[in-house]
Structures are given as structure tokens and as C-alpha cells.
Amino acid sequence: MTIALDATLSRRTLLAGLASTSALLLAGCATTARPSAPVEPLRPIVPPDVAMMYGPLPLEDFPIPAADVSLMAPRFWRQEVENITGQPQHTVVVDTANFVLYWTMPNGRAMRYGVGLGRAGFEWSGEGHIAYKRKWPVWTPPAEMILRQPEIEKYRHGQPPGLDNALGARALYIHQGQKDTLYRIHGTMDVPTIGKAVSSGCVRLLFHDVIDLHDRVIPGSKIVVI
């Protein structure tokens, strides 16, 4: 009887010990678990040739720093591609659905740039032409923009050129016939806004890209915004 009782007690003790151990393990899981930290999106590795393309431009009238293009998707980096626009050479084509701009070239090729576009209510589409272009332009905001943003009243007669100028390093002016549309293709230093709709209607390229485009475009060239 004593041996049987001891065996029974031993089994009970073992089972109780296992139950306690399990409870401790479960308690340990409950107390040591931590909510997952938000995972930041991985930045693309920028190849050396792309980094060089967006490197500093110290010889500009206002020296331009390098652009950190790891902050935007690689598809928005400047590159020569096949001309898929259906437009003849020497045409600016803005594909608003994909946030890219093409400058069509000979032999079925095109230079493609990532762009930022106008937010809802400020979009523009249609056909026109590049009437003229400017290096380090003066920005004069339209009167209706000043009404919406009274803080820019100080620029009613023009914002001087510079890195902080709203048009940036270069501007291309879009006309329809003899009429100024008031829409521009111009520069920005705000890399994360490329590929987004946040502006007051203008088409914005990184400084490096708008300089490249400016040097290619011929005044009078057709522009198509789709």
C-alpha cells in the first residue's frame, strides 16, 4: 500500500510539476512578447552611375547639392527608353497616370523622367507648346494663388532666383496658342514628392532632371499632357 501510494503521489507530483512548468512558459510568452515595430520600406541601392547623375552641381549659379534618389522608386530615375508615346520626336509627353514625362528623340527613343503632379482639383491636361524656357527663373505667383495662400503676398512682384525659389533651377512655360496656361514644368529639391500629386498643377522634376530636360527642349516644341 505504501509503495502504491508513493507511486501515485509521485505521478501526481510529476503531473503537477509539468502543469506548473507549462503555466510558467505560457506566462513567460505573455510577458516577454512585444508588438512588432513598424518596418520601414527598404530603400533601393543606387548604382554608381545613377548617383553620379544626381550628384552635386557646384558650377550652377546657385550650387546644387546631390539628390538622395534612394528616397524615390528606381522607375523614376532618369533613363533612356523606347518611345512608347506614339508622338513624333521633339515632343514633351506627360503621362499623369504613371507620373512620368517623356522627351521624344530620334530613332524611336525617348528620355524618361519621374515627375510630381497637381493634386486633385489642380490638374491640367491637353495639348500646347513650350513657348520659352528660363534658367534660374523669377517666380511670380498668380493672383488666385495669393488669395488661397496669403503668406506668399510678399512675392506678388516676383520671388528672386535661388534654391528656395518655387520654380527651382529651370522652368519651361506652357502656352496654348498665344495664351499662357500659367502651368509650368519646373524644378524641385523635394525628392519624396516625385511620383505623387501634391502641387498646384505644375509638373515638377528634380533639379538635375529639369536641367537635363531644359537643355534638350526646343522652344515651340509640342507638349501633350494625358
Side-chain angles (χ1 to χ4, degrees):
M1 289 292 290
T2 301
I3 294 172
L5 181 59
D6 288 345
T8 300
L9 288 172
S10 296
R11 284 196 298 272
R12 287 177 178 172
T13 302
L14 176 62
L15 291 172
L18 289 173
S20 298
T21 302
S22 298
L24 286 171
L25 288 172
L26 287 172
C29 289
T31 56
T32 59
R34 294 288 185 272
S36 299
V39 178
E40 291 189 8
L42 293 176
R43 292 189 184 183
I45 296 173
V46 181
D49 60 325
V50 175
M52 184 177 296
M53 188 164 61
Y54 290 100
L57 300 174
L59 301 181
E60 281 287 325
D61 292 349
F62 301 89
I64 296 172
D68 184 359
V69 292
S70 71
L71 294 172
M72 65 186 193
R75 67 189 180 92
F76 296 131
W77 298 341
R78 186 197 326 156
Q79 57 186 300
E80 184 177 325
V81 296
E82 179 185 356
N83 178 10
I84 62 171
T85 68
Q87 294 292 330
Q89 67 183 44
H90 299 161
T91 304
V92 175
V93 182
V94 182
D95 178 352
T96 60
N98 293 299
F99 290 91
V100 291
L101 179 151
Y102 296 89
W103 169 246
T104 61
M105 303 188 299
N107 304 316
R109 306 298 291 171
M111 192 62 70
R112 189 181 73 192
Y113 311 83
V115 300
L117 297 170
R119 62 188 181 275
F122 292 89
E123 311 96 329
W124 180 81
S125 62
E127 294 188 8
H129 66 276
I130 305 300
Y132 54 95
K133 54 186 185 177
R134 293 286 185 267
K135 293 183 177 182
W136 295 106
V138 171
W139 175 59
T140 304
E144 59 270 21
M145 181 180 287
I146 295 174
L147 287 175
R148 293 195 306 271
Q149 301 171 249
E151 67 275 13
I152 62 174
E153 169 66 39
K154 60 185 176 181
Y155 300 132
R156 181 178 292 275
H157 301 295
Q159 181 186 24
L163 295 179
D164 295 332
N165 181 280
L167 296 180
R170 304 287 190 274
L172 290 76
Y173 296 75
I174 303 170
H175 285 206
Q176 285 181 313
Q178 300 300 314
K179 183 180 179 182
D180 185 350
T181 65
L182 301 181
Y183 289 97
R184 315 287 186 236
I185 298 172
H186 67 82
T188 181
M189 296 180 70
D190 195 352
V191 179
T193 64
I194 300 300
K196 297 177 182 176
V198 294
S199 79
S200 294
C202 292
V203 178
R204 293 167 299 111
L205 293 78
L206 295 184
F207 276 17
H208 300 71
D209 287 342
V210 79
I211 289 171
D212 184 83
L213 178 66
H214 172 277
D215 291 346
R216 295 174 187 273
V217 169
I218 304 162
S221 297
K222 179 181 176 182
I223 178 170
V224 180
V225 181
I226 55 175

